[in-house]
Amino acid sequence: MKLNSNIPDGPLDTKWTNYRSKMNLVAPNNKRRIDIIVVGTGLAGASAAATLGELGYNVKAFTFHDSPRRAHSIAAQGGINAAKNYQNDGDSVYRLFYDTIKGGDYRSREANVHRLAEASRNIIDQCVAQGVPFAREYGGLLANRSFGGVQVSRTFYARGQTGQQLLLGAYQALSRQISVGNVEMYNRHEMLDLVKVDGKARGIIARNLLTGKLERFAAHCVVLATGGYGNVFYLSTNAMGSNVTAAWRAVRRGALMANPCFTQIHPTCIPVSGEYQSKLTLMSESLRNDGRVWVPKKKEDVMAIREGRKTGNDIPEGDRDYYLERRYPAFGNLVPRDVASRAAKVACDEGHGVNQTGLAVFLDFADAIQRYGKSEAISKGMSNADKATITKLGTAVVEAKYGNLFEMYEKITGENPYVLPMKIYPAVHYTMGGVWVDYNLETNVPGLFCLGEANFSDHGSNRLGASALMQGLADGYFVIPYTIGQFLSKEIRTPKISNETPEFIAAEKETQERLNKLLNIKGDKSVEEFHRRLGKIMWEYCGMARNAEGLKKGRQLIRELRKEFWSDVFVPGSTDEFNPELEKAARVADFMELGEVMIVDALTREESCGGHFREEYTQDGEAMRRDDEFTFVSAWEWDENEPILHKEELIFENVELKTRSYK
Amino acid sequence: MSDMNLTLKVWRQKNNNDSGRFESYQVAANEHMSFLEMLDVLNQTLIEKKEEPVAFEHDCREGICGACSMVINGRPHGPQGGTTTCQLHMRHFKSGDTITIEPWRAKAFPVIKDLVVDRSSFDRIIQAGGYISVNTGQAQDGNAIPIEKDLALQAFDAATCIGCGACVAACPNASAMLFTSAKVSHLGLLPQGEVEHSKRVQSMVKQMDEEGFGMCSNTGACEVECPKEISITNIARMNRTYMGSVFGSDKTV
Amino acid sequence: MSWVSNFLTSSIGKKLIMSLTGLFLISFLVVHLAGNLQLLANDGGKSFNVYAYFMTHNPFIKTISFGLYAGILLHAIQGILIALKNRSAKGSRYAVSTGANASFASKNMALLGTLIFAFLLIHMGDFWFKMKFGAVDMVAYDGIDYKVQDLYDKVLTSFKNPLVVVAYLVGLIALALHLLHGFQSAFQTLGLNHKKYTPFIKGMGVIFSILVPIAYAIIPIYFFLFK
């Protein structure tokens, strides 16, 4: 299969404008006759469904949640990037483009990323107009903050709830289209299959989660905006319901999975506290601006802390290893996410982890509290303030900056982070990989589009902070409404698609059989147990650091687990009722297939880049990218026995490939 | 890590036609678990016994999606203020405690199964006008209209609503005034939303009434139980603007 | 006029009626108290009886009094309808009830209102009904060229009955609790909530709800103990 990225010709900075100006359009009277299915109503899905509705298409939108407002986009904390240059600090579309390409370790497409940077500016305007209450300065204008990996201040934010506010903006725009009848909303409907007619995506099979009935939905094209697959690791910062099923079903119908091994491990999450743990909670990256990361140098101190005989505060300064500052003096605690995560893993692998599981490092604010306290004392004219006063003043400053995060930490761990250093550990956070799409966001299956985290297109092998929201909304508001016309303009003579055709009936039957099969195994183990075990395999062998031997073993283990699952899982209840266990079983079954492809991808990519770190490919202990051999996108076609690799070469015409160095 | 033994009295209801009843279960937990993880443990033991697990709604488990919805010992989201059930940890309970868990109770939130209720009425209230009518592409520059910092913060505070329905659950009248007024306030406070404010407030109140929610008697229970601590100042604001719109504008919805 | 009926049948409209009638009744409490405190004047009931005559014979006051009856009925009937609607909106109750999130008074306004209404019936049956239709002796005073009913005497005999005094005290406690929530609630319903003024309104409400019922309570207690 020859993968054509369909990137338009012309210079980078005018590509999108020129392309948009010459694109095929669908006339308003034809739009009314065209049906579009949008699956997923997070940032990308809701914004796409709303915008397509505004344009006059008949949209059917689907979410497995009880409301579009629950999509996991809502949990994004930090902010959204945009090349507005409101701070007059030298930002530009090109700089945002460059930072994203570099941050992604040169494994994304130039043209897509540049378009993303262009759209970023419109996103902010659009969201402000929708009433998103972004943070503002005293003069009433929009405020910005800085984020990791860049030198300008371009992140727009709404306290620590930017994702929530942006999602509610999109949800409200979607609600408006529902109220005027342009969008038909199907809550509590989960897509379980893609239906192709004559090679084109023409509909889906969805299960009504309330009644358990399968329903057939037909349309001229299908848009997937179903999010990432981080939950393949069981423990992640994703929501419990986040899953790969819709995307994976599309892959089973011929779409390709691109760069599945590119997963982002976020360095600052609350560590696992026990076997029962169901999910991990992120502590915003912004904490690393003031927190210092360290572990004790001496093993006896480590043991004392683990056994509760000592706390972090009891370790004298000389016995602490501020390993990020030691290893990366130039960037210190502010190295990019992938680097910080791996360094924490190394510290813990060497036996310096500071909680009972041995998998935690300290993030310490004591210095920051003293520093801020002193400067507050001076500004208040207290030149001889005692230590207690300084600590009090400094604590107030830290509270003003990070209060809500500290409160969340205390709720979860029961420890006061103003007094004791926080304990953190990396956790799976985001998946850069996803369904392969071309410049139009169309997959290799004609009429099937994929947006947001579900596709692979913009972040290469590592995503920069505050860029996920940007991509989701760019795809939904400003890309798909145009590019979908390239496909639909050829479909204006296609009559309404029937859901009674043999293709639909066969797909429904297959899906029903699959569900029946899950229920009829009647084994002894819960779905949760299989998911947990899958997660452990993935984390152990395809996590922060990977090697060929481990990956091969992991693959073997997953295959065995899959076999065991299909012979020993127990799913209670029946298919024709509200049955959360059945939903979970179908999702875990898909995760087990995806997991294998991730491992195969990681095995094939014999280099270290971004979130993908192969222990065999390092230079002076740091990641070694191999541009000569691996400057391509790996797009995998599913095959039960051996997934098939298709390559899309990445061509860099504007950016010179460099080695990232933070030393 | 200390272990706890708890007795749970959980509301079990097969579906909306079933009348429902409490069932008692013993569960072993520890104080570091979240409340939902404790329920996960219960469900795991039920599945091992080939019984139906307790259905409850949950998703993000970090206090922002608004999916979790259960009344714990008579209080929506449990005893800790400003906290969703998923962020509530077992260290707030003692070994030997009996914990009663019920679904949200309100006519407008019919029970689907066990602790799961149907909150689509909230969606319909938003659809009635909880938006600003701006199509994609119509927006002017983000900085074209300066907004006073305090005003933006007030709007933000109202906008933090997660749509969980704890306000309705806490209200002895099952009133949705806090939810509705939070959205009316969020949008009405901003200049962008001011334009259609008058019509919005009438439409949203009308929809709220049609959904069968009760009337506000200003008990203030909603703001006490709201996990995002949204203030009933918003309710007063909605009352005021609603009357202003009915008597002061030429709009009738 | 559909907008008017729309408004009056909307949840906020219904609550507005409760708020306005409530505030009206609160203002009546003050007027009524001012008049009744004349019972404590040590003049054998002269000023009170003259005041009572004025209140029942002045055409303007008589008109207002019809407004008052209407206000009471409207507040009571609307209150009951709202309580019934709210009860059905809630459906079933929780197995565990908690007082943690709202005051007793705020959750039991209908109950308190019913108690107050029952008290009103006793109160009016005892004085108003007897004054209008029963036999109350007439009495003449120096300097007044007409006879007035000796309502003071009626008060004197009523408040010698401990059961009546207890009924009054129960009614007044119910009134205090009802006001404790109702006073500030009326302002909240009107949308009068302000960072600067609301604490003042709430403070006023508490003082009013305690002082006014106490002042009323002084009368039966005083008569029972000292007359």
Side-chain angles (χ1 to χ4, degrees):
Chain A
M1 193 186 316
K2 174 89 180 79
L3 291 177
N4 186 353
S5 61
N6 286 318
I7 294 170
D9 295 332
L12 184 66
D13 57 346
T14 52
K15 242 183 231 285
W16 175 234
T17 316
N18 290 341
Y19 183 59
R20 227 169 23 171
S21 315
K22 289 169 196 154
M23 234 174 227
N24 299 321
L25 297 175
V26 180
N29 58 326
N30 286 325
K31 282 191 180 126
R32 284 197 290 274
R33 290 204 291 266
I34 287 180
D35 298 314
I36 300 176
I37 284 173
V38 178
V39 186
T41 52
L43 279 182
S47 58
T51 307
L52 293 168
E54 287 161 9
L55 288 172
Y57 292 109
N58 292 314
V59 180
K60 292 187 177 79
F62 294 81
T63 172
F64 67 80
H65 285 111
D66 68 319
S67 162
R69 69 181 299 151
R70 312 244 187 259
H72 198 55
S73 307
I74 204 143
Q77 297 172 355
I80 176 165
N81 290 328
K84 279 289 200 182
N85 194 30
Y86 283 157
Q87 305 306 322
N88 197 31
D89 55 2
D91 199 8
S92 65
V93 167
Y94 184 83
R95 198 179 287 277
L96 174 54
F97 153 77
Y98 181 80
D99 287 343
T100 308
I101 289 276
K102 179 189 170 201
D105 220 358
Y106 308 95
R107 289 294 174 264
S108 43
R109 275 191 208 131
E110 280 189 344
N112 284 56
V113 176
H114 198 276
R115 176 177 66 187
L116 174 68
E118 289 173 56
S120 71
R121 299 176 303 180
N122 306 79
I123 295 171
I124 298 304
D125 300 342
Q126 185 63 32
C127 294
V128 168
Q130 287 172 345
V132 171
F134 283 121
R136 289 181 180 265
E137 310 282 3
Y138 280 105
L141 302 176
L142 294 163
N144 289 112
R145 60 183 169 201
S146 7
F147 246 68
V150 295
Q151 290 158 307
V152 292
S153 192
R154 63 158 77 100
T155 305
F156 294 78
Y157 62 100
R159 231 174 269 167
Q161 286 154 258
T162 319
Q164 180 198 26
Q165 294 309 315
L166 294 173
L167 181 67
L168 292 180
Y171 161 70
Q172 287 163 203
L174 174 63
S175 294
R176 176 168 152 249
Q177 292 309 306
I178 295 169
S179 74
V180 297
N182 291 339
V183 176
E184 240 179 292
M185 185 68 225
Y186 293 88
N187 293 333
R188 294 193 195 269
H189 275 69
E190 181 169 24
M191 168 177 163
L192 291 180
D193 206 357
L194 177 77
V195 183
K196 289 202 299 188
V197 180
D198 299 332
K200 292 177 182 167
R202 293 298 198 192
I204 63 169
I205 304 297
R207 181 163 177 267
N208 178 335
L209 301 182
L210 283 184
T211 62
K213 295 268 179 322
L214 293 181
E215 295 169 14
R216 306 187 294 264
F217 296 94
H220 290 81
C221 66
V222 175
V223 179
L224 299 182
T226 50
Y229 50 83
N231 268 348
V232 68
F233 291 91
Y234 185 72
L235 286 179
S236 79
T237 65
N238 283 10
M240 301 301 287
S242 301
N243 68 81
V244 77
T245 287
W248 191 252
R249 292 288 115 195
V251 171
R252 301 268 314 206
R253 293 285 177 188
L256 304 179
M257 196 71 188
N259 297 335
C261 79
F262 289 167
T263 43
Q264 178 163 81
I265 318 278
H266 199 292
T268 50
C269 298
I270 299 177
V272 175
S273 60
E275 266 302 297
Y276 51 80
Q277 188 114 10
S278 60
K279 88 149 255 156
L280 297 171
T281 305
L282 180 75
M283 292 274 101
S284 168
E285 177 160 309
S286 59
L287 290 175
R288 281 194 287 141
N289 279 304
D290 283 313
R292 295 179 74 193
V293 179
W294 65 277
V295 290
K297 280 181 187 164
K298 295 183 186 159
K299 289 280 169 67
E300 62 259 34
D301 285 338
V302 170
M303 292 320 290
I305 290 170
R306 287 186 194 174
E307 288 160 15
R309 288 182 283 116
K310 279 185 181 177
T311 69
N313 292 341
D314 300 326
I315 312 299
E317 197 60 29
D319 290 339
R320 299 177 177 193
D321 179 14
Y322 294 94
Y323 59 82
L324 285 178
E325 295 167 28
R326 172 173 58 79
R327 287 176 62 184
Y328 308 99
F331 276 68
N333 293 298
L334 278 173
V335 290
R337 291 176 176 179
D338 50 345
V339 178
S341 295
R342 277 196 293 276
K345 178 176 167 19
V346 170
C348 292
D349 286 352
E350 288 168 354
H352 296 279
V354 293
N355 71 353
Q356 282 162 337
T357 60
L359 296 174
V361 298
F362 286 128
L363 179 64
D364 198 335
F365 292 84
D367 275 5
I369 287 173
Q370 292 305 314
R371 190 176 71 241
Y372 287 125
K374 275 179 197 144
S375 103
E376 277 288 291
I378 290 165
S379 75
K380 289 198 159 80
M382 299 185 282
S383 50
N384 295 320
D386 57 6
K387 181 131 197 241
T389 314
I390 288 174
T391 305
K392 197 175 149 213
L393 290 170
T395 303
V397 176
V398 169
E399 188 176 355
K401 288 182 97 166
Y402 309 113
N404 61 338
L405 295 168
F406 276 49
E407 195 186 317
M408 181 151 85
Y409 180 85
E410 190 170 358
K411 267 183 199 167
I412 293 173
T413 63
E415 281 182 4
N416 180 352
Y418 294 105
V419 179
L420 291 170
M422 273 187 187
K423 290 171 188 159
I424 53 155
Y425 198 68
V428 175
H429 179 54
Y430 185 89
T431 52
M432 282 73 69
V435 178
W436 184 89
V437 290
D438 67 5
Y439 188 72
N440 294 325
L441 303 183
E442 188 173 6
T443 69
N444 56 310
V445 176
L448 179 68
F449 296 81
C450 190
L451 321 178
E453 191 181 347
N455 75 25
F456 87 104
S457 73
D458 295 349
H459 304 296
S461 55
N462 177 52
R463 179 177 64 76
L464 288 180
S467 284
L469 302 182
M470 171 172 72
Q471 187 222 339
L473 289 181
D475 286 0
Y477 284 134
F478 296 107
V479 179
I480 193 73
Y482 296 103
T483 58
I484 205 165
Q486 290 292 73
F487 173 79
L488 290 176
S489 57
K490 291 172 281 179
E491 297 287 332
I492 51 173
R493 283 183 194 80
T494 312
K496 201 164 183 64
I497 309 290
S498 161
N499 67 353
E500 303 285 344
T501 56
E503 291 89 343
F504 275 92
I505 289 163
E508 183 188 352
K509 189 159 166 269
E510 269 176 55
T511 308
Q512 188 62 51
E513 280 166 359
R514 185 163 174 268
L515 295 178
N516 291 344
K517 194 172 162 193
L518 283 168
L519 272 167
N520 291 333
I521 297 166
K522 298 198 194 301
D524 286 319
K525 299 197 179 86
S526 71
V527 177
E528 204 70 15
E529 185 184 329
F530 282 104
H531 195 179
R532 234 178 256 269
R533 284 165 63 192
L534 169 69
K536 281 200 178 132
I537 297 171
M538 291 304 293
W539 183 246
E540 179 77 24
Y541 302 107
C542 195
M544 266 188 283
R546 300 142 180 197
N547 61 58
E549 196 190 339
L551 287 164
K552 282 176 191 152
K553 185 168 175 207
R555 186 177 183 191
Q556 187 54 38
L557 288 172
I558 283 198
R559 295 198 137 208
E560 287 163 18
L561 186 70
R562 205 157 68 208
K563 222 165 142 187
E564 192 183 333
F565 174 87
W566 284 103
S567 62
D568 199 19
V569 76
F570 172 69
V571 182
S574 65
T575 60
D576 54 358
E577 62 173 341
F578 179 71
N579 189 345
E581 280 297 310
L582 177 62
E583 295 162 25
K584 216 156 60 177
R587 292 170 193 166
V588 171
D590 288 335
F591 273 135
M592 286 193 290
E593 293 177 358
L594 167 79
E596 186 180 348
V597 180
M598 287 171 72
I599 289 181
V600 172
D601 185 39
L603 198 54
T604 316
R605 190 164 283 276
E606 295 177 326
E607 64 164 349
S608 296
C609 60
H612 171 65
F613 186 80
R614 282 285 298 266
E615 287 165 344
E616 305 96 314
Y617 303 98
T618 58
Q619 208 163 25
D620 310 325
E622 298 298 325
M624 185 176 76
R625 223 175 52 228
R626 296 172 66 201
D627 293 333
D628 297 347
E629 290 183 64
F630 292 97
T631 311
F632 62 80
V633 174
S634 313
W636 295 92
E637 183 182 336
W638 171 247
D639 183 284
E640 190 78 39
N641 298 313
E642 199 57 53
I644 302 153
L645 175 65
H646 304 273
K647 292 181 188 177
E648 179 206 334
E649 292 301 324
L650 288 168
I651 297 151
F652 291 89
E653 293 169 328
N654 299 276
V655 170
E656 184 197 344
L657 277 60
K658 291 182 188 160
T659 303
R660 294 192 305 166
S661 170
Y662 301 95
K663 290 204 173 181
Chain B
M1 197 181 291
S2 70
D3 290 322
M4 323 169 74
N5 288 304
L6 301 163
T7 306
L8 303 181
K9 274 178 68 189
V10 185
W11 184 259
R12 301 303 307 260
Q13 185 174 340
K14 183 97 181 130
N15 53 45
N16 197 233
N17 300 323
D18 183 16
S19 55
R21 71 215 62 82
F22 282 102
E23 301 272 356
S24 286
Y25 303 98
Q26 299 297 318
V27 62
N30 79 52
E31 58 179 5
H32 292 292
M33 288 179 176
S34 73
F35 197 85
L36 297 185
E37 283 166 352
M38 184 273 295
L39 287 181
D40 289 343
V41 171
L42 169 67
N43 277 348
Q44 179 67 29
T45 54
L46 289 176
I47 291 170
E48 279 164 13
K49 287 190 277 180
K50 308 262 157 116
E51 289 173 26
E52 278 255 345
V54 177
F56 62 91
E57 247 171 331
H58 64 102
D59 197 31
C60 78
R61 295 205 178 187
E62 46 189 285
I64 195 76
C65 75
C68 50
S69 53
M70 53 187 84
V71 172
I72 301 162
N73 289 339
R75 299 193 63 182
H77 293 304
Q80 196 183 16
T83 307
T84 53
T85 302
C86 62
Q87 295 273 281
L88 175 68
H89 280 67
M90 295 312 292
R91 65 182 75 89
H92 298 282
F93 298 88
K94 294 190 305 293
S95 192
D97 278 358
T98 297
I99 305 174
T100 306
I101 310 171
E102 301 172 73
W104 284 175
R105 299 274 185 211
K107 271 277 169 61
F109 288 166
V111 172
I112 289 170
K113 185 176 184 176
D114 298 341
L115 304 171
V116 179
V117 299
D118 179 2
R119 286 170 284 189
S120 53
S121 44
F122 270 12
D123 280 337
R124 291 188 291 273
I125 292 176
I126 298 296
Q127 285 158 20
Y131 46 74
I132 290 172
S133 299
V134 53
N135 282 355
T136 304
Q138 290 178 326
Q140 57 187 336
D141 186 82
N143 260 345
I145 308 173
I147 301 172
E148 192 196 339
K149 185 175 178 156
D150 278 352
L151 195 68
L153 281 176
Q154 270 186 56
F156 175 83
D157 285 339
T160 55
C161 170
I162 57 176
C164 65
C167 46
V168 174
C171 180
N173 314 330
S175 163
M177 287 285 274
L178 192 65
F179 170 79
T180 310
S181 68
K183 190 47 69 190
V184 165
S185 291
H186 158 215
L187 298 175
L189 282 167
L190 298 170
Q192 289 85 357
E194 178 63 33
V195 182
E196 43 188 337
H197 185 49
S198 194
K199 180 160 178 281
R200 176 186 308 120
V201 65
Q202 286 197 45
S203 311
M204 289 181 72
V205 168
K206 184 170 180 238
Q207 187 65 38
M208 176 185 82
D209 289 350
E210 282 172 7
E211 295 292 344
F213 290 103
M215 278 164 269
C216 176
S217 53
N218 305 323
T219 65
C222 51
E223 75 174 354
V224 174
E225 300 295 3
C226 173
K228 295 294 150 187
E229 296 171 325
I230 293 172
S231 161
I232 56 169
T233 313
N234 293 302
I235 296 182
R237 185 182 289 111
M238 183 163 83
N239 288 340
R240 176 162 89 227
T241 52
Y242 180 76
M243 291 179 230
S245 168
V246 168
F247 295 105
S249 79
D250 54 10
K251 306 247 173 359
T252 302
V253 174
Chain C
M1 294 294 276
S2 74
W3 67 272
V4 177
S5 60
N6 274 357
F7 174 72
L8 292 176
T9 52
S10 74
S11 56
I12 294 178
K14 287 178 187 165
K15 290 294 301 179
L16 179 72
I17 291 172
M18 291 305 285
S19 158
L20 292 177
T21 51
L23 287 172
F24 174 57
L25 296 178
I26 282 173
S27 71
F28 164 73
L29 284 178
V30 179
V31 176
H32 192 54
L33 180 64
N36 288 6
L37 283 179
Q38 297 179 69
L39 282 166
L40 302 182
N42 211 358
D43 58 359
K46 179 182 170 187
S47 49
F48 178 74
N49 282 341
V50 172
Y51 159 77
Y53 180 86
F54 171 76
M55 292 305 274
T56 45
H57 290 77
N58 180 300
F60 177 68
I61 304 277
K62 277 172 86 173
T63 320
I64 295 271
S65 71
F66 285 111
L68 176 66
Y69 305 144
I72 291 172
L73 285 177
L74 194 54
H75 193 79
I77 293 167
Q78 181 81 314
I80 289 167
L81 291 176
I82 286 178
L84 290 175
K85 164 80 176 89
N86 282 347
R87 186 166 284 251
S88 93
K90 189 70 191 171
S92 40
R93 307 254 138 195
Y94 295 111
V96 181
S97 62
T98 166
N101 52 23
S103 68
F104 168 83
S106 71
K107 284 181 168 176
N108 292 285
M109 288 299 274
L111 174 71
L112 294 168
T114 310
L115 279 176
I116 295 168
F117 193 74
F119 162 73
L120 269 185
L121 292 180
I122 296 174
H123 178 58
M124 290 184 75
D126 220 12
F127 299 116
W128 179 85
F129 186 81
K130 286 186 178 147
M131 190 168 69
K132 290 271 174 190
F133 308 105
V136 178
D137 296 336
M138 302 303 278
V139 56
Y141 291 111
D142 292 346
I144 298 172
D145 51 6
Y146 49 86
K147 280 187 168 180
V148 297
Q149 287 178 309
D150 192 359
L151 201 58
Y152 181 82
D153 183 57
K154 182 82 203 63
V155 172
L156 204 62
T157 42
S158 278
F159 287 165
K160 277 297 168 195
N161 180 349
L163 285 178
V164 172
V165 175
V166 169
Y168 271 64
L169 294 183
V170 169
L172 288 168
I173 290 168
L175 176 67
L177 289 169
H178 199 78
L179 284 172
L180 216 43
H181 176 67
F183 192 98
Q184 54 90 19
S185 175
F187 288 90
Q188 167 82 1
T189 299
L190 283 172
L192 299 175
N193 186 313
H194 191 278
K195 210 171 160 181
K196 288 177 181 164
Y197 307 126
T198 297
F200 177 71
I201 292 174
K202 285 191 172 169
M204 277 283 294
V206 172
I207 293 169
F208 186 92
S209 336
I210 294 171
L211 283 191
V212 170
I214 285 180
Y216 272 111
I218 286 172
I219 299 169
I221 292 173
Y222 174 78
F223 273 79
F224 182 68
L225 293 179
F226 303 114
K227 286 280 169 176

